[in-house]
Amino acid sequence: MEPFSWSSGVSNSDFEIRNDGYLGNSSIRCGLVLDSLKGELVEAPAKLERKGVSAERTIEALKNHSEAEKRRRARINSHFDTLRNLTPGAKKMDKASLLAEVISHLKDLKRKTAETSEDCAIPKDFDEVKVEPEDEMEGRPYSIRVSLSCDYKPGLLSDLRQALDALQLIIMRAEIATLGCRMKNVFVITACNEDKVHARSIYQALRSVLDKFAVSEQFIGATLSNKKRRASVFIP
Amino acid sequence: MEPFSWSSGVSNSDFEIRNDGYLGNSSIRCGLVLDSLKGELVEAPAKLERKGVSAERTIEALKNHSEAEKRRRARINSHFDTLRNLTPGAKKMDKASLLAEVISHLKDLKRKTAETSEDCAIPKDFDEVKVEPEDEMEGRPYSIRVSLSCDYKPGLLSDLRQALDALQLIIMRAEIATLGCRMKNVFVITACNEDKVHARSIYQALRSVLDKFAVSEQFIGATLSNKKRRASVFIP
DNA sequence: TAAGACACGTGAGGC
DNA sequence: TGCCTCACGTGTCTT
């Protein structure tokens, strides 16, 4: 039993015809390819024999084509290499995994930059206290990032600092951004001792400081704070 | 004149032999390939005829192979699509250009994050005043980024502020980071009127403020009216 | 042996 | 027509 047959398209006469000095593109091959749908070897679609094209020109074109394709592959692969070099730990990684890694890296960086610019750039219009774990602080584990937006008030910062001191926390980093009368404050803190830092108590301590200042404002009067509030609107 | 010859390896007997039910991997092809170095069609290197392998198994293997390769290509291409989607303005871009774009984007983001973390994170050990153009501020053109590291001193910030006010500058953004006794300060500023901002005069104004405090430290012990001064510090 | 990754040469299709 | 990009099936090397 024969699974396929040579007889149909690849007869001797076929070869003789194709050997007369004029070649179609695919007549270099014998014309048998695997048809993966049918699962058998079939005759390749017959090409027109171009009567006006010489074999030399066809070979020349074919050579140019394959060389151009080679250059294209080289170009792409050099970019792959570059990516491998500037992606940490992605050396000797196959193309698919490398691309996946690059994608996640890209998303990561995008997220991080968005976060940092949100972090420090512009105080929010509304008051906010945020307490979240900070994973990437070298050395100290269990450090915590606190960010809060509020109106600027004299004495508020030192009160905040005292509140954190009372909880026996070390301030690793402090950033303050102001815009108009608004203020944004970012702390990175760890515990003095090796105890775990309790986000909830930090939040409550800071919140109560802010509340204290908010209450004091109610007695001062609304006209001043209105003016201040308006000041925060006029700059991007 | 014939540029190549069919006679050498692809005789009729060759085909008959290869049609006996046992095929080597490449015997499906006729065995003629383009040698791009010599620029002619040459006989492909002859494969061993594996006597123990049936044609069915070979076809099966070939099918599996090509399908696996298809899956691999699909995997890679889907990553290319993902990259196209999350790279701004890289829709409908060919693979090489896309990769180049991704690479420059990646470098850009890396540089930006490094800059911002250098910007704001930790005050330098040595005193420094840096004045540089800020390109990416929306709305306002000709804005300038000023960053300076120095020891924290009471009253220094308000003096800096007065110095900038004297130059008729608007403070768009102010960030302050402290670590121990050191302080880092980043301002983004533009001119009040439409005049071009002069980096040199800004630098000199800030430098003279720092110099003043450096000198005054030699005479005074810096213990005086700490709290009062600190209260007036953070208003842009 | 089998499965995976890669480079290759080729055909198709877009300007 | 020529040049370019892409998908395809294949040969080869590695695990």
Side-chain angles (χ1 to χ4, degrees):
Chain A
M1 169 191 142
E2 293 188 14
F4 56 89
S5 163
W6 289 104
S7 62
S8 62
V10 195
S11 62
N12 288 340
S13 63
D14 265 75
F15 282 99
E16 282 158 10
I17 286 173
R18 289 181 179 175
N19 197 19
D20 64 358
Y22 296 93
L23 290 171
N25 271 339
S26 75
S27 58
I28 295 163
R29 300 285 182 85
C30 274
L32 275 188
V33 293
L34 175 63
D35 184 326
S36 47
L37 259 72
K38 289 188 281 183
E40 21 175 88
L41 291 179
V42 297
E43 196 186 344
K47 296 288 293 184
L48 298 323
E49 303 285 326
R50 311 273 206 126
K51 303 280 175 168
V53 183
S54 72
E56 288 89 353
R57 278 194 67 80
T58 302
I59 290 179
E60 178 84 8
L62 222 42
K63 198 174 86 171
N64 284 342
H65 185 29
S66 78
E67 282 177 354
E69 183 64 12
K70 202 184 184 95
R71 281 193 299 272
R72 175 178 165 270
R73 279 194 299 263
R75 207 163 60 240
I76 293 178
N77 283 337
S78 90
H79 285 148
F80 270 108
D81 284 341
T82 307
L83 277 180
R84 262 184 264 263
N85 284 337
L86 57 82
T87 304
K91 218 85 173 173
K92 297 294 171 194
M93 203 176 240
D94 63 279
K95 294 184 182 179
S97 316
L98 173 62
L99 286 185
E101 191 61 25
V102 165
I103 287 172
S104 77
H105 215 78
L106 213 51
K107 284 181 177 172
D108 222 55
L109 278 185
K110 209 176 243 184
R111 188 181 51 77
K112 275 222 166 77
T113 47
E115 245 174 38
T116 5
S117 67
E118 184 207 338
D119 241 15
C120 201
I122 298 178
K124 292 203 192 314
D125 284 345
F126 52 93
D127 286 11
E128 185 189 61
V129 179
K130 224 161 66 179
V131 181
E132 50 191 352
E134 166 90 350
D135 38 15
E136 55 170 323
M137 207 60 185
E138 70 277 7
R140 297 263 182 182
Y142 304 128
S143 47
I144 277 197
R145 163 179 300 256
V146 176
S147 56
L148 87 198
S149 292
C150 60
D151 278 345
Y152 168 76
K153 313 250 178 59
L156 186 132
L157 274 166
S158 53
D159 278 25
L160 289 173
R161 184 174 158 63
Q162 284 171 23
L164 294 178
D165 281 348
L167 290 172
Q168 301 222 342
L169 299 170
I170 298 177
I171 301 180
M172 307 279 290
R173 220 169 92 192
E175 297 170 11
I176 300 131
T178 59
L179 185 60
C181 65
R182 300 291 291 173
M183 171 180 82
K184 178 149 191 176
N185 209 323
V186 180
F187 292 117
V188 176
I189 55 186
T190 64
C192 279
N193 45 37
E194 293 298 315
D195 293 346
K196 197 163 177 291
V197 189
H198 291 104
R200 176 122 211 101
S201 56
I202 294 174
Y203 177 85
Q204 288 172 342
L206 297 178
R207 197 78 219 174
S208 70
V209 172
L210 289 192
D211 287 346
K212 192 186 78 175
F213 275 81
V215 167
S216 70
E217 188 177 59
Q218 290 178 353
F219 296 104
I220 293 174
T223 46
L224 183 60
S225 65
N226 269 348
K227 219 176 181 184
K228 272 181 166 179
R229 281 248 162 79
R230 195 174 290 173
S232 70
V233 176
F234 89 109
I235 291 183
Chain B
M1 169 193 141
E2 293 191 13
F4 56 88
S5 165
W6 289 104
S7 61
S8 63
V10 194
S11 62
N12 288 342
S13 63
D14 264 76
F15 282 99
E16 281 156 11
I17 287 173
R18 288 183 181 174
N19 195 20
D20 64 357
Y22 295 92
L23 291 172
N25 272 336
S26 75
S27 57
I28 295 165
R29 299 287 183 86
C30 275
L32 275 188
V33 291
L34 175 63
D35 185 325
S36 46
L37 259 72
K38 288 188 279 182
E40 22 176 86
L41 293 178
V42 297
E43 196 183 346
K47 296 287 293 185
L48 297 324
E49 303 286 324
R50 310 274 207 127
K51 303 280 175 172
V53 183
S54 73
E56 287 90 351
R57 278 194 66 80
T58 301
I59 291 179
E60 178 84 7
L62 220 41
K63 198 173 85 170
N64 285 342
H65 186 29
S66 78
E67 282 176 354
E69 183 63 14
K70 201 184 184 95
R71 282 194 299 273
R72 175 178 165 270
R73 279 194 300 263
R75 207 164 60 241
I76 293 178
N77 283 337
S78 89
H79 285 149
F80 270 109
D81 284 340
T82 308
L83 277 180
R84 262 184 264 264
N85 285 337
L86 58 80
T87 304
K91 221 86 170 174
K92 299 292 171 194
M93 205 175 236
D94 62 280
K95 296 182 180 179
S97 315
L98 173 62
L99 286 185
E101 191 61 25
V102 165
I103 287 172
S104 77
H105 237 215
L106 212 52
K107 284 182 177 172
D108 223 55
L109 279 185
K110 207 175 243 183
R111 187 181 50 78
K112 275 220 166 76
T113 47
E115 250 174 32
T116 8
S117 69
E118 182 207 338
D119 242 15
C120 204
I122 298 179
K124 293 203 190 315
D125 284 346
F126 50 95
D127 285 10
E128 184 188 61
V129 179
K130 223 163 65 179
V131 181
E132 51 191 352
E134 167 88 350
D135 39 14
E136 56 172 322
M137 209 60 185
E138 71 276 7
R140 299 264 184 182
Y142 304 127
S143 48
I144 278 197
R145 163 178 301 254
V146 175
S147 56
L148 90 199
S149 292
C150 58
D151 279 346
Y152 170 77
K153 313 247 178 64
L156 185 131
L157 275 164
S158 55
D159 278 22
L160 289 174
R161 182 180 151 64
Q162 285 170 23
L164 294 178
D165 280 347
L167 291 173
Q168 301 223 340
L169 299 172
I170 297 176
I171 300 179
M172 308 278 291
R173 221 167 93 190
E175 296 169 12
I176 300 132
T178 58
L179 185 59
C181 64
R182 298 291 292 173
M183 170 182 82
K184 178 149 190 176
N185 208 324
V186 180
F187 292 116
V188 177
I189 54 186
T190 64
C192 280
N193 45 37
E194 293 299 315
D195 293 347
K196 197 163 177 292
V197 189
H198 291 104
R200 177 121 212 101
S201 57
I202 295 175
Y203 176 84
Q204 287 173 342
L206 298 177
R207 198 75 221 176
S208 71
V209 172
L210 289 191
D211 288 346
K212 193 187 77 177
F213 274 78
V215 169
S216 71
E217 190 176 52
Q218 294 175 352
F219 296 100
I220 312 171
T223 49
L224 191 65
S225 69
N226 232 340
K227 271 181 180 165
K228 249 191 173 176
R229 278 236 161 106
R230 193 177 283 187
S232 63
V233 156
F234 304 105
I235 300 143

